[in-house]
Amino acid sequence: MDIQLGDKIDINAFIQIARFKKAVKFSEQYVSRVKKSRSVLEEMMASDELMYGITTGFGSLCSEKISSQQTAELQENLILSHAVSVGDPLNEEQARACMLMILQNLGQGYSGVRFEILDKIREFLNLNLIPWMPKEGSVGYLAPEAHLALTLTGRGQLYYHGELRATAEVLLAENIQPIQLQAKEGLALISGTTSTTALAALALYDMQNAAKSADIIAALTLESLEGILVAFDERVMHVRPHSDQAKTASNVRRLLQNSELALQRHPTKLQDALSLRCIPQLHGAVKKILNDALVTIEIEMNSCCDNPIVWHDQDLQEIISACNPDSSYVGLAMDSAAIAATNLAKMSERRNNRLIDGNLSGFPSFLIQQPGLNSGLMIPQYTQAALLNDMRILSHPATVDNTPTCGNQEDYVAMGYNASKKAISIVDKLEYILAIELLSAYSSHQFITTDKQRSPAVQEVILELKKRIPLSDKDTYIFAFINEMKALIHRGELVSIIENKIGQLD
């Protein structure tokens, strides 16, 4: 079923379009407000009033007047001069997310673009014509979006059936006419938090899925190591009433319900190591940060972040130049989310270490029958350590930087784009780190010699993994297993396996 734009969308609808290629259509309200905004702009352009980016130049050139005869040339020059991002391009879902965000941003009805512009982007999106958008060199907007805007005019490059081709060739093959940009349209296409929010939404969706997956994987590890469930007791959560901490503890209790390995109390030890005992506290804190970020991102994806805006109501029409393209909200949210995700990874690596260290687990070292002759799962922990090092580097906040641009007209720069871009990289590494813990937790199952039963929920995961990962008593090609586990997490299959068994996790 198509997804209709016009009312507010949430992150799940966003992902359905960007990642899973659901088709897009516009509501009557969407079309009406876009056309109304354009008519107001055209009416105001008939006056001799100075309007930023419409009858003037851009940035520090905002006092340079542009004649009405030069309007189209101004917009074309803007796109050509601003398409200067470099490096590797955004991938397919990232480019689709940017197109969707432009539809959302300009579709609020305060930007003054013609409906034809947005309908052309919708057509590209539904045909999966993917603009080539180099991803390096944005301080929060402008350059990647300019490459996208070029394709609407028949310039630049598009991915077409998986092949990178000149846009003019693709439009000819699809019988699509390019568009000539008119007043304000080039500026509106590039001036907003569109790419910043697009990347943030993709990263945050995966981070929240990874946080749920981390609860599941931690429960497997906890049970394998015969952890003590009293640390997850409701009374403990009651005296420190952070809701996400309590929800995480509840998730683990449900995951390990009826386990004969993880008991409420242990006969010989009073408490587990912190990487087991503090799961509710750390995972809960991470979820709090991610949930707060979600509020910000969903507001942003349903906002007009253009400059200037075309204000119109019954009593007043005005072109207002301000700074809604500032990316601080999204940037600060994603800097915080990146730090949270790295904390989730650092605890996962420590739990994994407890599984593979025979002195801590009681299992054969590195979870292999003949350690020494075989290395078993020794080296995946090295991979975790290297990935964590990258994540810690990437966790340095992008938004604390400030390099003025535009002849000091833009003397403060938010740098939100880089916060979102690195969050994409961080969550990819997080999924690998969790995948390695999941592989170890699964492999440890073969060394549990007692007749005690695992919890039904954990047993469901183990049965599913047995279909995918053959256990061996000698070294084998582990790389493929790590990728299989990572895909299981990324696609949400691990969460689905559990939620089909015990209901939705918090």
Side-chain angles (χ1 to χ4, degrees):
M1 181 181 295
D2 295 353
I3 294 178
Q4 181 170 275
L5 301 185
D7 296 326
K8 291 182 177 179
I9 65 169
D10 62 15
I11 197 169
N12 293 311
F14 191 97
I15 292 296
Q16 287 298 313
I17 297 167
R19 178 170 294 173
F20 299 112
K21 302 179 184 175
K22 286 283 189 180
V24 171
K25 62 182 180 181
F26 299 136
S27 70
E28 290 182 9
Q29 293 90 338
Y30 184 104
V31 177
S32 175
R33 67 196 187 208
V34 169
K35 290 184 175 179
K36 172 64 175 176
S37 175
R38 184 65 188 185
S39 69
V40 169
L41 176 64
E42 290 178 349
E43 182 180 333
M44 296 193 71
M45 285 176 62
S47 72
D48 199 33
E49 181 181 349
L50 280 180
M51 294 176 283
Y52 172 72
I54 303 168
T55 59
T56 75
F58 308 103
S60 62
L61 303 176
C62 61
S63 298
E64 301 293 328
K65 194 173 188 329
I66 305 296
S67 70
S68 58
Q69 292 76 26
Q70 295 173 309
T71 297
E73 184 181 357
L74 174 68
Q75 302 303 312
E76 181 177 309
N77 288 347
L78 177 71
I79 297 304
L80 290 169
S81 64
H82 283 52
V84 293
S85 57
V86 297
D88 293 334
L90 297 176
N91 66 25
E92 180 179 274
E93 71 172 32
Q94 292 162 2
R96 287 180 60 86
C98 290
M99 286 191 279
L100 173 56
M101 266 311 305
I102 290 175
L103 293 182
Q104 280 293 100
N105 182 34
L106 305 188
Q108 300 303 313
Y110 299 104
S111 291
V113 301
R114 288 171 296 155
F115 173 70
E116 290 82 356
I117 296 290
L118 303 185
D119 201 39
K120 188 68 68 178
I121 295 174
R122 183 193 63 83
E123 185 177 15
F124 276 33
L125 198 55
N126 288 347
L127 290 171
N128 205 38
L129 306 180
I130 305 301
W132 180 76
M133 301 171 64
K135 64 184 177 183
E136 306 296 342
S138 173
V139 298
Y141 43 59
L142 301 179
E145 290 90 343
H147 283 284
L148 187 160
L150 277 178
T151 64
L152 302 177
T153 69
R155 300 178 177 87
Q157 299 177 91
L158 289 167
Y159 287 99
Y160 184 58
H161 301 311
E163 180 184 348
L164 186 61
R165 295 175 59 181
T167 297
E169 295 177 8
V170 175
L171 298 189
L172 184 64
E174 288 289 333
N175 196 27
I176 295 173
Q177 292 299 313
I179 280 181
Q180 183 176 18
L181 300 175
Q182 296 183 10
K184 196 181 181 296
E185 291 174 341
L187 180 60
L189 286 167
I190 68 174
S191 182
T193 62
T194 47
S195 59
T196 302
T197 307
L199 299 185
L202 294 171
L204 186 58
Y205 180 86
D206 290 337
M207 284 178 177
Q208 291 201 298
N209 175 67
K212 273 190 178 183
S213 300
D215 284 0
I216 298 167
I217 296 164
L220 264 74
T221 298
L222 185 71
E223 189 180 51
S224 288
L225 296 173
E226 298 189 39
I228 307 169
L229 290 177
V230 72
F232 302 83
D233 196 291
E234 288 179 272
R235 295 165 295 178
V236 177
M237 307 308 135
H238 177 75
V239 301
R240 194 194 193 200
H242 291 292
S243 61
D244 294 298
Q245 176 179 316
K247 289 174 183 176
T248 301
S250 174
N251 284 348
V252 175
R253 291 196 306 270
R254 290 166 58 205
L255 283 159
L256 296 181
Q257 189 172 9
N258 298 323
S259 172
E260 295 179 355
L261 287 167
L263 303 176
Q264 184 69 10
R265 298 184 187 277
H266 195 278
T268 59
K269 63 179 176 177
L270 293 177
Q271 60 183 25
D272 289 311
L274 288 176
S275 61
L276 302 175
R277 183 166 28 116
C278 279
I279 291 166
Q281 288 75 17
L282 187 277
H283 287 206
V286 168
K287 291 173 189 174
K288 168 76 164 58
I289 295 295
L290 300 183
N291 289 336
D292 288 348
L294 180 61
V295 173
T296 296
I297 300 309
E298 289 191 336
I299 289 173
E300 198 78 0
M301 68 172 60
N302 291 290
S303 298
C304 175
C305 300
D306 197 4
N307 177 46
I309 65 166
V310 181
W311 179 259
H312 51 91
D313 60 19
Q314 292 180 344
D315 303 316
L316 180 66
Q317 295 180 171
E318 186 176 357
I319 306 297
I320 305 175
S321 183
C323 205
N324 273 354
D326 178 84
S327 58
S328 296
Y329 271 103
V330 177
L332 286 166
M334 297 318 295
D335 273 341
S336 299
I339 293 169
T342 300
N343 274 272
L344 204 62
K346 82 176 184 183
M347 183 179 269
S348 174
E349 183 275 330
R350 288 293 82 198
R351 287 193 301 262
N352 180 63
N353 183 69
R354 300 194 75 80
L355 286 166
I356 64 173
D357 186 335
N359 296 315
L360 299 174
S361 67
F363 302 137
S365 292
F366 309 115
L367 300 173
I368 196 72
Q369 290 287 2
Q370 297 182 59
L373 176 62
N374 297 286
S375 295
L377 297 182
M378 177 195 295
I379 303 304
Q381 188 264 334
Y382 286 44
T383 304
Q384 284 185 315
L387 291 169
L388 259 177
N389 180 251
D390 274 342
M391 292 177 76
R392 286 165 177 148
I393 293 167
L394 291 168
S395 289
H396 179 80
T399 52
V400 299
D401 184 34
N402 191 58
T403 304
T405 58
C406 201
N408 267 316
Q409 175 72 1
E410 297 177 359
D411 55 352
Y412 143 80
V413 181
M415 298 294 182
Y417 177 84
N418 280 345
S420 296
K421 179 164 64 74
K422 68 190 181 65
I424 292 269
S425 179
I426 276 181
V427 72
D428 183 62
K429 292 171 172 58
L430 170 61
E431 289 171 346
Y432 275 117
I433 286 173
L434 290 171
I436 289 168
E437 183 191 354
L438 178 58
L439 179 60
S440 294
Y442 166 63
S443 298
S444 70
H445 179 73
Q446 63 187 309
F447 299 109
I448 298 174
T449 57
T450 178
D451 291 334
K452 293 178 181 178
Q453 294 297 307
R454 305 203 74 150
S455 79
V458 168
Q459 189 61 31
E460 193 76 15
V461 173
I462 289 170
L463 289 174
E464 182 61 34
L465 295 181
K466 279 183 177 178
K467 301 174 186 175
R468 303 164 184 254
I469 311 292
L471 292 173
S472 175
D473 60 0
K474 60 178 68 174
D475 279 345
T476 187
Y477 187 50
I478 301 171
F479 173 79
F481 300 161
I482 295 171
N483 282 333
E484 179 68 28
M485 296 292 195
K486 202 259 192 188
L488 190 74
I489 293 166
H490 181 74
R491 293 193 298 255
E493 292 176 41
L494 179 63
V495 172
S496 293
I497 291 166
I498 285 297
E499 290 189 336
N500 289 337
K501 182 72 174 179
I502 65 172
Q504 188 167 354
L505 296 173
D506 292 317

